[in-house]
Amino acid sequence: MTKRLHDAVVKHLQEQKHAVELLSRAHNVTPKYVNDMIGSQTKYHTARKIHLTNALIHAKAKEMNSDQPIGSRYTLGELREMVAEDPQMKNLTRDEKTTYVSALREHREQKVSSVRANNIAAARDVLVTTERVIKELDDLRVRTGTYATVYVVRGHINDTIQSTMHGTDNSEDFWEDVYDSPMADVLRQYEQWACTQNQNLNERDSLETVRKQARKLIVQGLVAVTGKKDIMMNYNNYNTAIIETYAVKLVGWPQGVKFISPSNIGTVGEIRKLRDALKARTCYWAALTPAEVKLHTAELDACRSAGQVVRQPRKKRSDAGVARKRKAPPTTGQAHKENRRPSKKVKKNSSAQHREAPKSAEFIESSDEEEDEGE
């Protein structure tokens, strides 16, 4: 039966290949274009929901396989049996179930967005992902007639990623017709710009880089929620200068991270935790309702009445209290004298002192009569 099925499949593929060639010649297209139309269906599926059973198996796999070499690790079926026979994984409380599920969710998020271990792994990841994206866009073009352009470039001069460009159908003509530049020139300029950002695998998650990202995300969110482009974040007087003044609040600040300026957070782990929360919008700016603003003002008034410092004063100058000399403002005459250009000294000539210049008439009459005669 297996032999007959194999022969039938081979015969069907040969017939299909012949039919594709006939279609390509009849419609003046390539056989690849016809094959793409035949196999251009995409199967969409959402990420599998996290269940307690999967979370328990993940925890057991982490416990049993973490120290095992590849090839000697327990299979999925064996891990299921271990979970079923483990008395500590039965009759769990609600908090224990939440902990297992949260651990699996965090593992999946890290697996999707974690940085690759080296440039070779990163280059392989880019190649495979780019090929998949390009195929999806080509199939989408066949199904819906959409246009798309993809540019993928390396982010650092030391990366081994191969820069790639792709345009569905005749998208390449757009860059030459509108911008008078072929796609290859745009790709090269894009790569040059990206390499000036100096963010390779080792540098993009450095302490200073992540600090800068967190500061930018916080200020951008504050500008968006208040509508004020020149607003500045104030951490020392956050309750008064931000919440009380603008009726907005930063919600979801990560636990374990002190509420201070990102510039003063000293560990990469803490600042990355804040940055990731801001990117995922689990930490975000929210506008307060009038009732919340009134309640916050009442709490501040209660703190003031109790003698607590609600608003920290500005730092004093190091020479505060010391008399400093001030320059007296120049008088009007002195100001004119200072601003006036120095006059050039005239060289004295003894003979010129005795020479008298010819005197001109005190009044000069106009020649109206001559003008009348000219008219």
Side-chain angles (χ1 to χ4, degrees):
M1 180 177 179
T2 304
K3 181 68 168 57
R4 291 198 303 270
L5 177 61
H6 180 268
D7 294 341
V9 170
V10 171
K11 182 180 179 181
H12 171 73
L13 292 176
Q14 291 176 350
E15 294 175 352
Q16 183 181 11
K17 181 179 179 181
H18 180 67
V20 167
E21 292 177 352
L22 293 177
L23 287 173
S24 64
R25 287 196 295 267
H27 297 276
N28 195 23
V29 294
T30 62
K32 180 180 181 302
Y33 187 82
V34 178
N35 286 323
D36 289 341
M37 292 185 67
I38 296 174
S40 62
Q41 183 178 2
T42 302
K43 296 181 179 179
Y44 297 98
H45 65 277
T46 57
R48 183 177 298 175
K49 187 177 180 180
I50 298 177
H51 296 283
L52 179 61
T53 302
N54 298 333
L56 295 177
I57 294 175
H58 168 72
K60 183 60 69 174
K62 191 174 181 180
E63 175 187 352
M64 303 301 297
N65 289 335
S66 58
D67 298 332
Q68 297 292 334
I70 298 177
S72 301
R73 296 177 179 177
Y74 294 96
T75 63
L76 179 61
E78 293 172 341
L79 293 172
R80 287 181 183 273
E81 294 179 0
M82 293 180 185
V83 170
E85 296 174 359
D86 191 346
Q88 296 182 355
M89 291 188 172
K90 297 179 180 179
N91 301 324
L92 299 174
T93 63
R94 180 177 298 180
D95 293 339
E96 291 174 340
K97 293 178 181 179
T98 303
T99 302
Y100 280 117
V101 172
S102 299
L104 178 56
R105 181 180 294 108
E106 183 178 356
H107 170 74
R108 289 185 177 181
E109 292 175 354
Q110 291 180 352
K111 188 176 180 180
V112 171
S113 59
S114 59
V115 178
R116 296 307 175 194
N118 51 56
N119 284 339
I120 297 178
R124 178 62 181 171
D125 189 4
V126 170
L127 177 63
V128 174
T129 305
T130 303
E131 289 179 350
R132 185 167 65 248
V133 169
I134 289 175
K135 184 180 185 307
E136 292 290 341
L137 291 176
D138 286 338
D139 293 344
L140 185 65
R141 164 64 184 169
V142 173
R143 297 195 307 270
T144 63
T146 56
Y147 285 83
T149 302
V150 177
Y151 288 104
V152 179
V153 297
R154 55 182 176 172
H156 195 273
I157 193 172
N158 293 330
D159 291 343
T160 58
I161 297 170
Q162 180 65 40
S163 298
T164 307
M165 64 179 183
H166 179 75
T168 60
D169 200 50
N170 62 333
S171 297
E172 296 184 8
D173 298 339
F174 166 78
W175 300 95
E176 295 186 6
D177 296 343
V178 178
Y179 293 102
D180 198 22
S181 296
M183 284 185 63
D185 291 349
V186 178
L187 178 71
R188 184 172 61 254
Q189 294 174 6
Y190 188 26
E191 183 180 28
Q192 290 175 354
W193 174 86
C195 289
T196 60
Q197 306 303 304
N198 292 327
Q199 292 189 8
N200 62 357
L201 293 178
N202 297 326
E203 295 171 349
R204 67 181 181 184
D205 269 352
S206 64
L207 180 60
E208 186 56 36
T209 301
V210 182
R211 280 175 173 175
K212 182 179 179 180
Q213 294 172 356
R215 290 195 303 266
K216 185 176 181 180
L217 289 170
I218 290 175
V219 174
Q220 285 180 343
L222 182 58
V223 170
V225 74
T226 60
K228 299 182 180 297
K229 296 182 179 181
D230 57 345
I231 192 171
M232 298 295 292
M233 181 58 178
N234 191 328
Y235 295 90
N236 293 332
N237 297 307
Y238 169 73
N239 289 321
T240 56
I242 301 297
I243 298 180
E244 187 178 27
T245 304
Y246 299 104
V248 294
K249 185 178 182 180
L250 191 57
V251 182
W253 191 273
Q255 295 183 355
V257 180
K258 189 177 179 180
F259 187 80
I260 56 177
S261 171
S263 302
N264 298 327
I265 297 178
T267 63
V268 177
E270 290 183 351
I271 191 62
R272 188 183 298 166
K273 188 176 181 181
L274 175 60
R275 189 272 313 270
D276 294 343
L278 291 167
K279 279 189 172 182
R281 292 192 59 79
T282 56
C283 180
Y284 58 94
W285 285 100
L288 301 181
T289 62
E292 291 174 337
V293 174
K294 187 176 180 180
L295 178 61
H296 180 74
T297 304
E299 292 176 353
L300 292 179
D301 292 339
C303 293
R304 293 187 183 99
S305 301
Q308 299 180 9
V309 178
V310 175
R311 187 180 183 89
Q312 297 182 8
R314 296 181 61 181
K315 292 183 179 180
K316 293 184 178 181
R317 293 170 55 110
S318 59
D319 57 350
V322 180
R324 294 183 292 274
K325 293 182 179 180
R326 294 184 179 179
K327 295 183 179 180
T331 60
T332 305
Q334 291 176 344
H336 288 299
K337 187 176 180 180
E338 291 176 357
N339 296 330
R340 190 170 57 220
R341 294 178 62 184
S343 59
K344 294 183 178 180
K345 293 184 178 180
V346 181
K347 189 175 181 179
K348 292 183 179 182
N349 192 342
S350 57
S351 61
Q353 291 179 356
H354 301 283
R355 187 181 304 168
E356 294 181 359
K359 294 182 178 180
S360 60
E362 184 176 2
F363 299 99
I364 300 177
E365 297 180 356
S366 60
S367 55
D368 295 337
E369 297 177 356
E370 295 177 359
E371 293 179 359
D372 292 340
E373 291 177 356
E375 293 178 356

